[in-house]
Amino acid sequence: MQILSLHFKGKMAHFRKYYSNSSALSYFIPPRTTIIGIIAGILGYERDSYYDDFSLENCSISLACSSPLKKVTQTLNYLMIKVKNDFNGSQEHHSQTSMELVIPQDIKKGCIDYEIFICHKDDLIMRKLNDICMKDLSAYKSHGISIGLGTAFNLGWIEYGGGFEGNEKLNGEANINSIMGIDNIEKILLKDGKVDNYLIKERVPIEFDDERRITKNGLKNFAVDLKGNAVDAISKKYVSLNDGRNIMWME
C-alpha cells in the first residue's frame, strides 16, 4: 500500500474534548476527525462535505508524536460579540474560561510535531494531496479551510514527509512508532527493565456521520507516548513501512 506522510507543526495546540463544557480540556493528540478535516481543507472540500470520502472504510490514518509534549492551562477572557463595536471589550458578559494548551517541552526552541500517515483507497485523492504538499511553498498550503492545530488561533503549518510503501503484518512483536489502539495491543514489552516511554491513554473520536454524530465504532482508546519515542509491543495488526518503522492505524 502507498502511504503519504505529512508533519503538522506549530507552537501551541488545543483539541477540545467532546465532553468538555465549562473548562476547555484538550486531547494531547488531534483526533482522527480533526486530521481528516485538515486534509479536506487542503484539498478544498467544503465544510461537512467530506465525511463519506474520509470514512474509516475509505481512508486509513495514523499519527506519531515526533516531539515531546506537555500541557499548560491558561485563563482566557471571552467576549459576547453581537455587533462590531463589542470587539473593544466595553460590553458586559465577559466570560473567563480555563483552557488547556498542548505545547512542546521546550517552547522557546522546540515545536509540536505530529507526523500524520495517510492511505486512501482513491488514488486520485492521494496524488492530489501529494502534489499540493510536496511543493516548497512558504504558505499554509490550504485551498480551503485555514489550517490550525485545533482552534483557529493555534495556527500551524505542514511539512511534507514523503511517500512510503507499507505492508500489513498480523500478530507479531514490533517496535511501534505511532500511537497504538488499545484494542490492538496484546502486550507492551519491557526489555531489560529499561523503558524511555511516558504512556497515557486517550479516548478520542475517529469518525462522524453526516450529522456530525459519532458513529457506532467512532470512539476509541489509544496509547500515546508523550516523549515521542517508539514502544515495543505485541500487537494484533500493524503496518511495516519500507524505512523500517512500524505504525498502527487509528481504527
Side-chain angles (χ1 to χ4, degrees):
M1 68 183 74
Q2 295 297 316
I3 297 172
L4 176 65
S5 167
L6 301 176
H7 289 266
F8 293 177
K9 293 187 173 183
K11 281 293 187 180
M12 295 190 301
H14 174 80
F15 309 108
R16 190 183 181 109
K17 293 186 175 180
Y18 71 95
Y19 55 80
S20 181
N21 190 1
S22 60
S23 58
L25 304 178
S26 174
Y27 299 110
F28 268 105
I29 59 172
R32 183 184 179 278
T33 49
T34 300
I35 295 170
I36 63 172
I38 293 174
I39 295 170
I42 296 170
L43 295 171
Y45 279 75
E46 293 186 9
R47 181 183 174 90
D48 299 332
S49 67
Y50 55 86
Y51 298 134
D52 287 339
D53 285 349
F54 291 91
S55 65
L56 290 170
E57 182 180 353
N58 293 323
C59 181
S60 297
I61 300 288
S62 182
L63 180 151
C65 296
S66 298
S67 64
L69 303 173
K70 66 180 181 180
K71 285 182 184 177
V72 296
T73 301
Q74 296 289 334
T75 300
L76 302 185
N77 193 27
Y78 286 100
L79 305 178
M80 180 178 288
I81 304 296
K82 293 184 177 180
V83 295
K84 184 177 179 181
N85 289 337
D86 291 347
F87 282 101
N88 63 19
S90 62
Q91 300 300 317
E92 297 180 356
H93 308 298
H94 293 212
S95 176
Q96 290 192 330
T97 300
S98 296
M99 173 176 279
E100 284 187 334
L101 295 171
V102 181
I103 63 173
Q105 286 287 343
D106 186 345
I107 197 169
K108 290 184 178 179
K109 297 180 181 179
C111 67
I112 296 169
D113 183 358
Y114 299 112
E115 185 173 8
I116 310 299
F117 300 93
I118 307 150
C119 179
H120 202 287
K121 286 185 176 181
D122 190 332
D123 292 337
L124 181 60
I125 288 178
M126 288 291 287
R127 288 198 300 271
K128 185 178 180 182
L129 187 59
N130 184 80
D131 291 344
I132 292 171
C133 293
M134 72 183 300
K135 295 177 182 177
D136 188 16
L137 299 176
S138 298
Y140 290 109
K141 303 181 181 178
S142 175
H143 287 189
I145 305 165
S146 298
I147 294 172
L149 295 179
T151 45
F153 55 81
N154 291 311
L155 289 178
W157 65 93
I158 290 179
E159 292 182 7
Y160 182 67
F164 300 95
E165 180 68 30
N167 294 297
E168 191 172 277
K169 305 287 186 180
L170 300 175
N171 300 317
E173 176 184 336
N175 197 240
I176 305 299
N177 300 89
S178 70
I179 65 172
M180 303 180 295
I182 297 296
D183 294 340
N184 199 16
I185 301 172
E186 294 283 1
K187 187 178 182 181
I188 292 178
L189 303 175
L190 305 177
K191 294 186 176 180
D192 302 323
K194 297 179 180 179
V195 177
D196 191 20
N197 300 109
Y198 182 6
L199 291 173
I200 64 164
K201 184 176 76 172
E202 288 270 58
R203 184 171 177 82
V204 300
I206 60 174
E207 187 181 51
F208 286 147
D209 62 18
D210 290 340
E211 297 182 1
R212 291 185 62 84
R213 295 177 301 188
I214 296 174
T215 60
K216 180 180 179 181
N217 297 313
L219 196 62
K220 291 294 180 71
N221 293 312
F222 294 92
V224 181
D225 180 67
L226 297 184
K227 290 187 175 182
N229 296 326
V231 179
D232 289 313
I234 298 175
S235 61
K236 299 175 184 177
K237 182 172 63 174
Y238 64 94
V239 175
S240 177
L241 305 181
N242 60 349
D243 68 347
R245 292 183 294 171
N246 302 295
I247 62 173
M248 287 186 186
W249 298 127
M250 299 177 76
E251 58 184 15

